[in-house]
């Protein structure tokens, strides 16, 4: 079966009700014939090398193609001239590999819900959002001490340690809310406030910054940080599997990149 890059981008667009400006083909051309697809969280050097090793000429990444700060600094050259980005752009050019971003598309399609299932949460009691992108996901767990919840989640994630709010380990908690990926960061606190207004006691991140911590502390919310990458890659794997099902014979795989941070 001859599969073109445009077949893949059409399929990805069909996964959700809305369309998202950051998503779609970023590098390469839609009429390229696909040899294989590598899904990843960030298309970093290791992910790009894995694509070549696996014979994939399309990379589907959740996060942006380049390191691109939203506010350029006067005196700093444009980001597409930075060594780190030039190396990445050269890779696509030299190896004739296409890059497709699938960000809010994958979030709306499955990422937070798949993460909730991975953590063993029941069906959400609050599941709402805009045009199928349900940012507001809250779950009622069996009432349990905060410390017990933390221990359970550590096992689910295979972690020895996690960062959490300074909550008493014996405080009983029931309702948790999903703050996967970067959703629990200060720039997305509007979604965390919605969770709080739905009675959420504990935010399950994602990634939590110190500005956000001030909001959580003063709002009486507890939090548990499980990782931006880790909370999203599980959903990306599901999208890769669903793509393989939709295109029989197409080789898809996901790049596991959990070894890029050291805890000492
Ligand atoms: Fe995301
Ligand atoms: Fe993200």
């Amino acid at each position: 079966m001859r599969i073109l890059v445009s077949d893949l981008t059409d399929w990805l667009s069909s996964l959700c009700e809305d369309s998202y400006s950051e998503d779609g083909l970023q590098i390469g051309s839609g009429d390229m014939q696909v040899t294989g697809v590598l899904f990843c969280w960030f298309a970093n050097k290791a992910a790009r090398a894995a694509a070549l090793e696996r014979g994939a000429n399309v990379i589907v990444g959740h996060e942006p193609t380049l390191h691109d700060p939203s506010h350029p600094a006067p005196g700093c050259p444009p980001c597409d001239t930075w060594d780190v980005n030039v190396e990445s752009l050269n890779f696509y050019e030299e190896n004739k590999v296409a890059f497709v971003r699938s960000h809010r598309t994958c979030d709306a399609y499955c990422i937070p819900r798949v993460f909730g299932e991975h953590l063993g949460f029941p069906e959400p009691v609050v599941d709402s959002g805009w045009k199928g992108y349900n940012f507001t996901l809250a779950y009622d767990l069996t009432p349990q001490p905060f410390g017990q919840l933390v221990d359970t989640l550590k096992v689910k994630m295979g972690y020895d340690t996690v960062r959490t709010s300074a909550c008493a380990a014996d405080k009983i908690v029931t309702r948790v809310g999903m703050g996967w990926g970067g959703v629990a960061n200060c720039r997305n606190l509007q979604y965390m406030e919605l969770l709080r207004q739905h009675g959420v006691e504990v935010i399950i991140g994602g990634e939590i910054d110190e500005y956000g911590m001030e909001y959580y502390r003063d709002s009486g919310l507890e939090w548990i940080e499980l990782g931006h990458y880790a909370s999203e890659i599980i959903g990306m794997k599901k999208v890769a599997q669903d793509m393989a099902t939709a295109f029989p014979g197409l080789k898809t795989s996901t790049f596991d990149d959990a070894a890029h941070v050291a805890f000492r």
Side-chain angles (χ1 to χ4, degrees):
M1 180 179 172
R2 192 177 134 90
I3 301 163
L4 303 181
V5 171
S6 59
D7 296 325
L8 304 186
T9 51
D10 288 348
W11 179 81
L12 285 164
S13 305
S14 76
L15 298 180
C16 46
E17 229 178 287
D18 210 350
S19 62
Y20 304 104
S21 55
E22 76 275 27
D23 286 354
L25 180 63
Q26 311 277 330
I27 298 175
S29 117
D31 56 13
M32 263 175 64
Q33 193 165 343
V34 180
T35 60
V37 185
L38 180 102
F39 279 74
C40 62
W41 180 67
F42 202 106
N44 56 34
K45 205 183 286 192
R48 298 192 301 265
L52 288 191
E53 275 162 30
R54 297 177 195 182
N57 68 345
V58 180
I59 296 178
V60 177
H62 189 58
E63 302 296 358
T65 329
L66 300 180
H67 297 279
D68 184 2
S70 49
H71 304 291
C76 182
C79 73
D80 59 0
T81 66
W82 299 0
D83 289 352
V84 68
N85 289 329
V86 168
E87 186 178 343
S88 172
L89 291 167
N90 286 346
F91 166 86
Y92 292 104
E93 176 74 28
E94 284 163 15
N95 296 292
K96 302 283 173 274
V97 171
F99 178 79
V100 174
R101 188 171 183 205
S102 194
H103 181 234
R104 279 183 287 172
T105 298
C106 289
D107 283 328
Y109 177 55
C110 72
I111 285 180
R113 282 184 297 281
V114 168
F115 187 50
E117 285 162 22
H118 176 81
L119 297 176
F121 294 168
E123 283 296 304
V125 287
V126 182
D127 187 348
S128 63
W130 171 250
K131 285 193 174 181
Y133 190 169
N134 287 6
F135 259 107
T136 311
L137 286 165
Y139 304 83
D140 277 348
L141 309 181
T142 308
Q144 61 194 288
F146 182 74
Q148 182 185 320
L149 174 60
V150 171
D151 287 344
T152 302
L153 297 183
K154 277 158 67 175
V155 171
K156 293 277 182 194
M157 298 302 292
Y159 293 162
D160 293 330
T161 56
V162 290
R163 240 170 34 137
T164 75
S165 55
C167 176
D170 60 358
K171 180 179 171 182
I172 301 297
V173 294
T174 303
R175 184 164 289 190
V176 303
M178 187 56 79
W180 83 102
V183 176
N185 272 335
C186 67
R187 69 176 184 278
N188 289 317
L189 288 182
Q190 65 275 28
Y191 302 110
M192 302 298 96
E193 176 62 16
L194 279 174
L195 290 174
R196 191 194 66 81
Q197 291 180 14
H198 280 292
V200 161
E201 302 157 88
V202 183
I203 300 294
I204 308 296
E207 177 175 8
I208 292 167
D209 59 343
E210 295 196 16
Y211 269 37
M213 284 177 197
E214 295 294 341
Y215 159 81
Y216 294 124
R217 189 167 52 173
D218 282 352
S219 301
L221 282 164
E222 309 300 345
W223 53 266
I224 302 169
E225 183 185 60
L226 300 177
H228 191 146
Y229 161 87
S231 59
E232 299 204 297
I233 196 69
I234 301 167
M236 290 301 281
K237 283 184 184 168
K238 175 177 167 46
V239 185
Q241 286 159 3
D242 289 354
M243 183 184 273
T245 304
F247 295 91
L250 176 66
K251 262 193 349 195
T252 73
S253 66
T254 305
F255 180 61
D256 278 310
D257 195 17
H260 66 321
V261 175
F263 293 94
R264 296 194 170 93

